Amino acid sequence: MSMNRREFLQVLAVAAAGGMTLHSDIASAEKAADKLYDVPKFGNVSLLHMTDCHAQLLPIYFREPNVNLGVGDMLGKAPHVVGETFLKTFGIKPGGAEAHAFTYLNFVEAARHYGKVGGFAHLSTLVKKMKASRPGALLLDGGDTWQGSGTALWTNAQDMVDACKLLGVDVMTLHWESTYGAERVKEIEEKDFAGKIDIVAQNVRTTDFEDPVFKPYVIKNINGVPVAIVGQAFPYTPIANPRWMTPNWSFGIQEQGMQEAVNAARAEGAQVVVVLSHNGMDVDLKLASRVTGIDAIFGGHTHDGMPAPTVVSNPGGRTLVTNAGSNGKFLGVMDFDVRGGKVVDFRYKLLPVFANMLAADKEMAAFIDKVRAPFIEKLSEKLAVTEGMLYRRGNFNGSWDQLLVDALIAEKGAEIAFSPGFRWGTSLLPGDTITMEHLLDQTAITYPWTTVTEMSGEMIKTVLEDVADNLFNPDPYYQQGGDMVRVGGLQYSCDPNAGMGKRIDNMMLAGKRIEPGKTYKVAGWAPVSEAAKDAGPAVWDVVANYLRGQKVISQRPLNLPTLKGMGGNPGVAV
């Protein structure tokens, strides 16, 4: 169900949208809705920030996590708080529009109430509104922009490249963009983006002579103030994604390189230095504590919608660390007051993009219709109806993930199935029809092949332990991104606070303990090895066949691990 603006305002007339006072007439309700996007200009330098839109051109539903565990020094700290604790942490009133945007609470009811979020036509309207009130403002794109939809995959990212130019992106960095291959990325940089959008990444160099692949930073003049934007691409791209797609590029956190880039920008006259990062928020927080001279980090990768920055102290002063969510759902607005050659104050707001509250930009809407037109028939194929909510977001299986692993087991004749710990993918409400487009929103990657492997019980444990360490290592620099591998068929327990190799226990299959020396048939998809190219049919074909046969997808229990030592952890609410 979706409402138009007028219908939504009628809802606002009887509900306290965004924690606002109840209103008795449509005019007052419209005023209340507009207030959400009334962000007074402050200072003399403004930066807008979007990240991790995952190629979602249309408005969608997207449920925030109910599990985002913090361990070690991150226990109980943002972004590792969920639900009611999240609202209390950021002073957000329960039951309103912002509570819905930032948490999973009462998701289905609230989603039907407030409608869909994001969509480039609605985001474009908001960007134009903010730029109109903030002359010289720049739009920063944190990456994971060209991947995540059927149309992005089928156009080799061209739909998103053109959409970003039309949106007015000024500077971007990278992660999933690299899975189109090094040649394609450089082609876009040198042709499509030339003179329009800068790609920055101080931590990407050639493997032979360590030459920069991209500009480490750019300096832009905003109202007479030189502002440097330093890029930080996802450090673990060759590990989390296929190495063979960028064989001649090296990545890594490159902390020393970051300090050198910041120092160089300052020496060149920059009065404001910000980092456009795809590290993930925990990594950004550590980086901010160790590198001096950064005024703010605009972060991405972990999809954390943070209503307020975390202020991090370091030997040179302080750094603001932000993260702007995902799927086109939010737009960050940072205003700096720069005087005497330095930032003396700031204001920050992370704005939810409610499609029912923002008129669609006509030019962007026309572009979206045009670029989607050749694919509409294929995208619109009805595969099945879901009885329960489908979502993917959190440290462990979501209901979309469960559907994928169940389909792999059934279609591949496997005992166990693994699905990558991806965070991207749109949500569906109970009763929605699952279309091919929705399935592609979960699976559209450039290495989609399915596999069936004979794995020993010992190897299965090793896989789970390795991923758990990537997720729960107390040192953020060793967290390589993603969430826990999604599991079908297999039950296990997990102690996130345990040491490496000791987090996974009690592995069971059909009520029997997994034996280290026994071999099991394991299905999976998204192999990173080049040798696995074309191993089996694309995952969307396998799952689509399963859905067509099922017709109705019942609400199914999630295959979640038994957590140990997490009692009272504010990053879990199950």
Side-chain angles (χ1 to χ4, degrees), residues 193-208:
F193 283 0
K196 298 180 179 68
I197 300 176
D198 294 298
I199 298 179
V200 290
Q202 71 84 21
N203 61 328
V204 183
R205 296 181 175 272
T206 60
T207 55
D208 48 11

PDB file of all heavy atoms in Angstrom, residues 193-208:
ATOM      1  N   PHE A 193      32.303  10.875 -16.221  1.00  0.00           N
ATOM      2  CA  PHE A 193      32.438  11.791 -15.089  1.00  0.00           C
ATOM      3  C   PHE A 193      33.393  12.950 -15.356  1.00  0.00           C
ATOM      4  O   PHE A 193      33.503  13.848 -14.518  1.00  0.00           O
ATOM      5  CB  PHE A 193      32.921  11.028 -13.850  1.00  0.00           C
ATOM      6  CG  PHE A 193      31.856  10.223 -13.160  1.00  0.00           C
ATOM      7  CD1 PHE A 193      30.543  10.184 -13.621  1.00  0.00           C
ATOM      8  CD2 PHE A 193      32.163   9.478 -12.024  1.00  0.00           C
ATOM      9  CE1 PHE A 193      29.567   9.438 -12.986  1.00  0.00           C
ATOM     10  CE2 PHE A 193      31.187   8.731 -11.369  1.00  0.00           C
ATOM     11  CZ  PHE A 193      29.890   8.712 -11.850  1.00  0.00           C
ATOM     12  N   ALA A 194      34.085  12.948 -16.460  1.00  0.00           N
ATOM     13  CA  ALA A 194      35.110  13.964 -16.726  1.00  0.00           C
ATOM     14  C   ALA A 194      34.523  15.372 -16.621  1.00  0.00           C
ATOM     15  O   ALA A 194      33.550  15.702 -17.291  1.00  0.00           O
ATOM     16  CB  ALA A 194      35.711  13.748 -18.111  1.00  0.00           C
ATOM     17  N   GLY A 195      35.122  16.181 -15.754  1.00  0.00           N
ATOM     18  CA  GLY A 195      34.667  17.552 -15.575  1.00  0.00           C
ATOM     19  C   GLY A 195      33.378  17.693 -14.797  1.00  0.00           C
ATOM     20  O   GLY A 195      32.867  18.811 -14.654  1.00  0.00           O
ATOM     21  N   LYS A 196      32.834  16.574 -14.280  1.00  0.00           N
ATOM     22  CA  LYS A 196      31.543  16.607 -13.575  1.00  0.00           C
ATOM     23  C   LYS A 196      31.637  16.025 -12.170  1.00  0.00           C
ATOM     24  O   LYS A 196      31.235  16.676 -11.201  1.00  0.00           O
ATOM     25  CB  LYS A 196      30.489  15.848 -14.377  1.00  0.00           C
ATOM     26  CG  LYS A 196      30.211  16.432 -15.764  1.00  0.00           C
ATOM     27  CD  LYS A 196      29.155  15.614 -16.492  1.00  0.00           C
ATOM     28  CE  LYS A 196      28.844  16.200 -17.870  1.00  0.00           C
ATOM     29  NZ  LYS A 196      29.986  16.059 -18.807  1.00  0.00           N
ATOM     30  N   ILE A 197      32.122  14.799 -12.052  1.00  0.00           N
ATOM     31  CA  ILE A 197      32.180  14.111 -10.758  1.00  0.00           C
ATOM     32  C   ILE A 197      33.604  13.596 -10.544  1.00  0.00           C
ATOM     33  O   ILE A 197      34.166  12.929 -11.422  1.00  0.00           O
ATOM     34  CB  ILE A 197      31.187  12.938 -10.690  1.00  0.00           C
ATOM     35  CG1 ILE A 197      29.746  13.432 -10.894  1.00  0.00           C
ATOM     36  CG2 ILE A 197      31.307  12.205  -9.352  1.00  0.00           C
ATOM     37  CD1 ILE A 197      28.704  12.323 -10.941  1.00  0.00           C
ATOM     38  N   ASP A 198      34.174  13.905  -9.384  1.00  0.00           N
ATOM     39  CA  ASP A 198      35.506  13.411  -9.028  1.00  0.00           C
ATOM     40  C   ASP A 198      35.390  12.123  -8.236  1.00  0.00           C
ATOM     41  O   ASP A 198      34.599  12.029  -7.295  1.00  0.00           O
ATOM     42  CB  ASP A 198      36.243  14.446  -8.175  1.00  0.00           C
ATOM     43  CG  ASP A 198      36.564  15.718  -8.938  1.00  0.00           C
ATOM     44  OD1 ASP A 198      37.309  15.640  -9.928  1.00  0.00           O
ATOM     45  OD2 ASP A 198      36.055  16.792  -8.545  1.00  0.00           O
ATOM     46  N   ILE A 199      36.175  11.109  -8.611  1.00  0.00           N
ATOM     47  CA  ILE A 199      36.325   9.899  -7.804  1.00  0.00           C
ATOM     48  C   ILE A 199      37.600  10.048  -6.991  1.00  0.00           C
ATOM     49  O   ILE A 199      38.679  10.285  -7.552  1.00  0.00           O
ATOM     50  CB  ILE A 199      36.383   8.633  -8.672  1.00  0.00           C
ATOM     51  CG1 ILE A 199      35.086   8.453  -9.467  1.00  0.00           C
ATOM     52  CG2 ILE A 199      36.640   7.404  -7.799  1.00  0.00           C
ATOM     53  CD1 ILE A 199      35.078   7.240 -10.374  1.00  0.00           C
ATOM     54  N   VAL A 200      37.482   9.937  -5.661  1.00  0.00           N
ATOM     55  CA  VAL A 200      38.641  10.095  -4.787  1.00  0.00           C
ATOM     56  C   VAL A 200      38.827   8.843  -3.937  1.00  0.00           C
ATOM     57  O   VAL A 200      37.862   8.238  -3.472  1.00  0.00           O
ATOM     58  CB  VAL A 200      38.507  11.343  -3.877  1.00  0.00           C
ATOM     59  CG1 VAL A 200      38.624  12.620  -4.690  1.00  0.00           C
ATOM     60  CG2 VAL A 200      37.202  11.329  -3.086  1.00  0.00           C
ATOM     61  N   ALA A 201      40.095   8.427  -3.760  1.00  0.00           N
ATOM     62  CA  ALA A 201      40.414   7.247  -2.948  1.00  0.00           C
ATOM     63  C   ALA A 201      41.913   7.249  -2.681  1.00  0.00           C
ATOM     64  O   ALA A 201      42.694   6.806  -3.525  1.00  0.00           O
ATOM     65  CB  ALA A 201      39.990   5.961  -3.653  1.00  0.00           C
ATOM     66  N   GLN A 202      42.304   7.733  -1.510  1.00  0.00           N
ATOM     67  CA  GLN A 202      43.728   7.795  -1.194  1.00  0.00           C
ATOM     68  C   GLN A 202      44.339   6.417  -0.987  1.00  0.00           C
ATOM     69  O   GLN A 202      45.554   6.252  -1.063  1.00  0.00           O
ATOM     70  CB  GLN A 202      43.962   8.664   0.054  1.00  0.00           C
ATOM     71  CG  GLN A 202      43.490   8.068   1.378  1.00  0.00           C
ATOM     72  CD  GLN A 202      44.463   7.113   2.037  1.00  0.00           C
ATOM     73  OE1 GLN A 202      45.669   7.149   1.742  1.00  0.00           O
ATOM     74  NE2 GLN A 202      43.960   6.239   2.915  1.00  0.00           N
ATOM     75  N   ASN A 203      43.514   5.404  -0.731  1.00  0.00           N
ATOM     76  CA  ASN A 203      44.007   4.083  -0.361  1.00  0.00           C
ATOM     77  C   ASN A 203      43.985   3.073  -1.499  1.00  0.00           C
ATOM     78  O   ASN A 203      44.132   1.870  -1.256  1.00  0.00           O
ATOM     79  CB  ASN A 203      43.206   3.532   0.828  1.00  0.00           C
ATOM     80  CG  ASN A 203      41.725   3.376   0.522  1.00  0.00           C
ATOM     81  OD1 ASN A 203      41.158   4.133  -0.256  1.00  0.00           O
ATOM     82  ND2 ASN A 203      41.086   2.395   1.131  1.00  0.00           N
ATOM     83  N   VAL A 204      43.811   3.519  -2.731  1.00  0.00           N
ATOM     84  CA  VAL A 204      43.842   2.607  -3.875  1.00  0.00           C
ATOM     85  C   VAL A 204      45.063   2.945  -4.721  1.00  0.00           C
ATOM     86  O   VAL A 204      45.180   4.066  -5.250  1.00  0.00           O
ATOM     87  CB  VAL A 204      42.562   2.704  -4.721  1.00  0.00           C
ATOM     88  CG1 VAL A 204      42.609   1.682  -5.856  1.00  0.00           C
ATOM     89  CG2 VAL A 204      41.328   2.483  -3.856  1.00  0.00           C
ATOM     90  N   ARG A 205      45.954   1.971  -4.849  1.00  0.00           N
ATOM     91  CA  ARG A 205      47.196   2.175  -5.600  1.00  0.00           C
ATOM     92  C   ARG A 205      47.455   0.975  -6.507  1.00  0.00           C
ATOM     93  O   ARG A 205      46.866  -0.090  -6.340  1.00  0.00           O
ATOM     94  CB  ARG A 205      48.375   2.380  -4.640  1.00  0.00           C
ATOM     95  CG  ARG A 205      48.253   3.653  -3.795  1.00  0.00           C
ATOM     96  CD  ARG A 205      49.442   3.849  -2.878  1.00  0.00           C
ATOM     97  NE  ARG A 205      49.350   5.130  -2.179  1.00  0.00           N
ATOM     98  CZ  ARG A 205      49.813   6.284  -2.644  1.00  0.00           C
ATOM     99  NH1 ARG A 205      50.428   6.308  -3.834  1.00  0.00           N
ATOM    100  NH2 ARG A 205      49.690   7.399  -1.949  1.00  0.00           N
ATOM    101  N   THR A 206      48.343   1.154  -7.466  1.00  0.00           N
ATOM    102  CA  THR A 206      48.706   0.040  -8.342  1.00  0.00           C
ATOM    103  C   THR A 206      49.581  -0.938  -7.572  1.00  0.00           C
ATOM    104  O   THR A 206      50.351  -0.549  -6.680  1.00  0.00           O
ATOM    105  CB  THR A 206      49.453   0.534  -9.582  1.00  0.00           C
ATOM    106  OG1 THR A 206      50.654   1.205  -9.192  1.00  0.00           O
ATOM    107  CG2 THR A 206      48.593   1.492 -10.394  1.00  0.00           C
ATOM    108  N   THR A 207      49.459  -2.218  -7.907  1.00  0.00           N
ATOM    109  CA  THR A 207      50.209  -3.239  -7.185  1.00  0.00           C
ATOM    110  C   THR A 207      51.675  -3.273  -7.575  1.00  0.00           C
ATOM    111  O   THR A 207      52.497  -3.820  -6.829  1.00  0.00           O
ATOM    112  CB  THR A 207      49.591  -4.626  -7.444  1.00  0.00           C
ATOM    113  OG1 THR A 207      49.523  -4.853  -8.854  1.00  0.00           O
ATOM    114  CG2 THR A 207      48.207  -4.725  -6.835  1.00  0.00           C
ATOM    115  N   ASP A 208      52.026  -2.699  -8.728  1.00  0.00           N
ATOM    116  CA  ASP A 208      53.427  -2.763  -9.146  1.00  0.00           C
ATOM    117  C   ASP A 208      54.267  -1.626  -8.561  1.00  0.00           C
ATOM    118  O   ASP A 208      55.201  -1.853  -7.803  1.00  0.00           O
ATOM    119  CB  ASP A 208      53.546  -2.795 -10.676  1.00  0.00           C
ATOM    120  CG  ASP A 208      52.713  -1.733 -11.380  1.00  0.00           C
ATOM    121  OD1 ASP A 208      52.186  -0.825 -10.705  1.00  0.00           O
ATOM    122  OD2 ASP A 208      52.600  -1.799 -12.629  1.00  0.00           O
TER     123      ASP A 208
END
